[in-house]
């Protein structure tokens, strides 16, 4: 397939907005793994990843018609994912307040065999020490997004992104390398 | 590759592996389900709640209006009786 026939992201989004289900499917397939990685970095739970990612894409499918700037699809999608993950974590915290768990049910570890690499385990534990919003920020950087794109996703300034990112990275390194040792 | 870079790579691989086959199709199916029946039932519930509230307000008003009317009537009857007593006493 030559490059001229490959639809741009904007074109695919516009087709999805017009109700083209094949275009919507293409968008899901293109982004599902990236959103899964992003979700896992924020929530730290393997068993919730599929449910949360599904929520994100169902919301995307229902709201895509209202997206005014199709070229901003990625920023919009990651903003949706970030908010969905943070809402999910907030609900989990509220649930813990109202449903008394026995001590053995608090801070449940990943299911056996779920995490099979030391490096991943160390990173997961280090990420768990950060606030969810800081995890989301670092996860956006890992997605290869620029400071300007992250500022657009989070609806804040580039200066604010740089300052928060610097602090979050320092904290992450501190926890990651102390955990590794 | 640095340890941290490798860790991120593993994180993404692990997360991607959590999505079972046919994920996109399941999402599309759920999105289709979510858009119509849920909306209809949402509106139906809102309409039913509004109707119930109206009925409750109407019933309360009807009840309290008739009580008030009876009390007013009793009050006026008493005043009329007292006026009658005063006149006959003069």
């Amino acid at each position: 397939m030559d490059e001229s026939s490959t639809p741009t992201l904007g074109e695919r989004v516009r087709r999805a907005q017009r109700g083209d289900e094949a275009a919507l499917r293409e968008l899901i397939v293109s982004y599902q793994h990236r959103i899964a990685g992003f979700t896992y970095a924020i929530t730290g739970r393997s068993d919730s990843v599929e449910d949360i990612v599904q929520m994100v894409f169902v919301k995307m499918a229902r709201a895509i018609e209202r997206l005014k700037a199709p070229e901003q699809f990625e920023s919009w999608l990651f903003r949706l994912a970030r908010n969905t993950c943070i809402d999910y974590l907030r609900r989990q915290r509220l649930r813990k307040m109202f449903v008394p768990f026995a001590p053995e049910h608090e801070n449940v570890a990943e299911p056996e065999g779920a995490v099979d690499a030391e490096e991943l385990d160390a990173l997961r534990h280090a990420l768990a020490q950060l606030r969810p919003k800081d995890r989301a920020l670092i996860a956006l950087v890992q997605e290869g997004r620029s400071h300007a794109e992250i500022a657009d996703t989070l609806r804040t300034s580039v200066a604010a992104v740089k300052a928060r990112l610097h602090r979050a990275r320092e904290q992450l390194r501190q926890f990651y390398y102390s955990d590794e040792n | 590759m640095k340890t941290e870079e490798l860790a991120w790579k593993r994180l993404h691989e692990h997360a991607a592996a959590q999505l079972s086959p046919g994920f996109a199709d399941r999402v599309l199916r759920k999105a289709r389900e979510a858009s119509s029946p849920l909306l209809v039932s949402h509106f139906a519930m809102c309409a039913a709640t509004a109707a119930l509230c109206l009925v409750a307000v109407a019933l309360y008003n009807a009840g309290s209006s008739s009580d008030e009317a009876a009390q007013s009537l009793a009050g006026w009857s008493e005043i009329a009786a007292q006026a009658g007593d005063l006149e006959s006493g003069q």
Side-chain angles (χ1 to χ4, degrees):
Chain A
M1 190 192 285
D2 62 281
E3 279 185 13
S4 61
S5 66
T6 311
T8 61
L9 174 63
E11 282 162 8
R12 274 192 286 167
V13 171
R14 272 184 282 272
R15 275 173 36 215
Q17 287 177 318
R18 288 194 293 268
D20 184 340
E21 212 173 73
L24 201 55
R25 194 179 184 286
E26 277 173 41
L27 288 171
I28 296 169
V29 169
S30 300
Y31 285 95
Q32 64 187 38
H33 290 154
R34 288 175 65 186
I35 296 294
F38 182 70
T39 297
Y40 186 48
I42 299 172
T43 62
R45 296 278 312 177
S46 305
D47 53 2
S48 310
V49 167
E50 187 165 24
D51 285 345
I52 297 171
V53 177
Q54 187 172 262
M55 263 191 265
V56 171
F57 281 110
V58 167
K59 285 181 189 179
M60 181 273 275
R62 291 173 67 189
I64 198 167
E65 278 173 19
R66 297 195 291 275
L67 176 62
K68 291 189 169 75
E71 288 72 24
Q72 302 297 320
F73 174 79
E74 261 196 32
S75 290
W76 175 74
L77 181 64
F78 277 98
R79 191 182 312 129
L80 202 61
R82 174 192 176 266
N83 294 343
T84 303
C85 290
I86 288 174
D87 284 346
Y88 170 82
L89 289 172
R90 204 172 280 148
R91 280 199 306 276
Q92 294 297 103
R93 274 203 308 276
L94 276 173
R95 201 171 287 163
K96 277 187 191 174
M97 278 166 60
F98 292 106
V99 178
F101 284 118
E104 58 269 21
H105 297 132
E106 292 287 340
N107 300 319
V108 177
E110 282 274 82
E112 185 109 4
V115 174
D116 58 3
E118 265 183 50
E119 301 92 356
L120 171 55
D121 211 31
L123 177 61
R124 220 175 45 80
H125 283 124
L127 282 167
Q129 309 307 314
L130 305 183
R131 295 179 314 160
K133 289 182 179 182
D134 289 340
R135 286 180 230 155
L137 187 55
I138 289 178
L140 283 169
V141 169
Q142 287 300 315
E143 279 298 315
R145 305 192 71 69
S146 66
H147 290 152
E149 285 167 337
I150 294 173
D152 183 51
T153 300
L154 301 183
R155 295 210 159 121
T156 185
S157 66
V158 171
V161 165
K162 284 180 176 173
R164 279 176 52 193
L165 189 55
H166 176 76
R167 272 198 308 273
R169 269 177 165 154
E170 282 302 310
Q171 280 187 318
L172 182 69
R173 274 196 199 108
Q174 198 184 335
F175 291 124
Y176 181 72
Y177 290 108
S178 69
D179 208 41
E180 259 208 323
N181 293 332
Chain B
M1 194 185 274
K2 285 187 206 170
T3 322
E4 200 181 320
E5 279 174 24
L6 183 61
W8 279 105
K9 185 172 177 288
R10 293 248 189 277
L11 183 145
H12 282 102
E13 285 166 0
H14 179 75
Q18 304 312 307
L19 304 184
S20 40
F23 175 78
D25 295 321
R26 281 197 301 282
V27 167
L28 290 171
R29 211 169 24 248
K30 218 158 174 71
R32 266 183 251 123
E33 281 168 27
S35 58
S36 27
L38 191 65
L39 206 59
V40 165
S41 66
H42 178 75
F43 279 126
M45 198 152 71
C46 288
T49 309
L52 269 171
C53 288
L54 274 170
V55 164
V57 165
L59 280 173
Y60 175 77
N61 272 338
S64 63
S65 298
S66 67
D67 284 346
E68 274 174 26
Q71 278 172 10
S72 297
L73 206 57
W76 281 115
S77 300
E78 203 181 311
I79 291 169
Q82 284 171 1
D85 288 345
L86 277 171
E87 272 180 1
S88 60
Q90 276 177 353

